[in-house]
Amino acid sequence: MPDPGTPCTSHPTAPLSLFTDHQRTNAETPQNSTALTPAELEVLQLLPSELTVGEIAAMRHVSTNTVNTQLKSIYRKLGVRRRLGAINAARQQALLPSHHIPLKPHPNRTE
């Protein structure tokens, strides 16, 4: 049996440069696990509106569980724990405008 550290000579091997190029390509274009999905961006855009999770779900024709899962993912990717933190982080990253016009008035507001 050959020594495990010795390359096998009975099978052709790819040139080392191909392996190195492949590694370099993967390193240059990593999968960005922090990028928000289109659905997550949709939910993120609705966060400043003061809509409830149920209202967001109804508007998007999905379940509240789906919205809650998307919120958890948004919070994780933005490195925050709450809705307001997500809004502030998204504004800092230019994912949301710095000002907001609510989609619906707050129930305690009299205008």
Side-chain angles (χ1 to χ4, degrees):
M1 181 167 206
D3 177 30
T6 306
C8 178
T9 56
S10 62
H11 298 313
T13 58
L16 183 58
S17 63
L18 291 178
F19 180 73
T20 306
D21 289 344
H22 176 70
Q23 280 185 323
R24 188 176 303 119
T25 301
N26 286 344
E28 290 170 359
T29 57
Q31 291 289 338
N32 189 355
S33 62
T34 60
L36 297 176
T37 66
E40 290 166 352
L41 285 170
E42 224 178 277
V43 171
L44 181 64
Q45 297 295 317
L46 295 171
L47 292 185
S49 70
E50 299 178 3
L51 293 169
T52 66
V53 170
E55 291 168 329
I56 292 172
M59 283 181 67
R60 299 185 63 244
H61 306 288
V62 297
S63 75
T64 56
N65 287 338
T66 298
V67 173
N68 281 324
T69 299
Q70 291 166 333
L71 285 172
K72 286 178 187 176
S73 181
I74 291 167
Y75 297 167
R76 177 181 50 78
K77 290 176 180 181
L78 293 178
V80 298
R81 293 184 179 193
R82 291 190 164 67
R83 186 174 183 150
L84 185 58
I87 293 167
N88 290 333
R91 285 181 175 155
Q92 289 173 351
Q93 296 178 34
L95 297 171
L96 286 176
S98 58
H99 63 285
H100 174 70
I101 300 168
L103 295 179
K104 71 169 195 170
H106 191 276
N108 296 334
R109 234 183 258 153
T110 55
E111 296 181 290

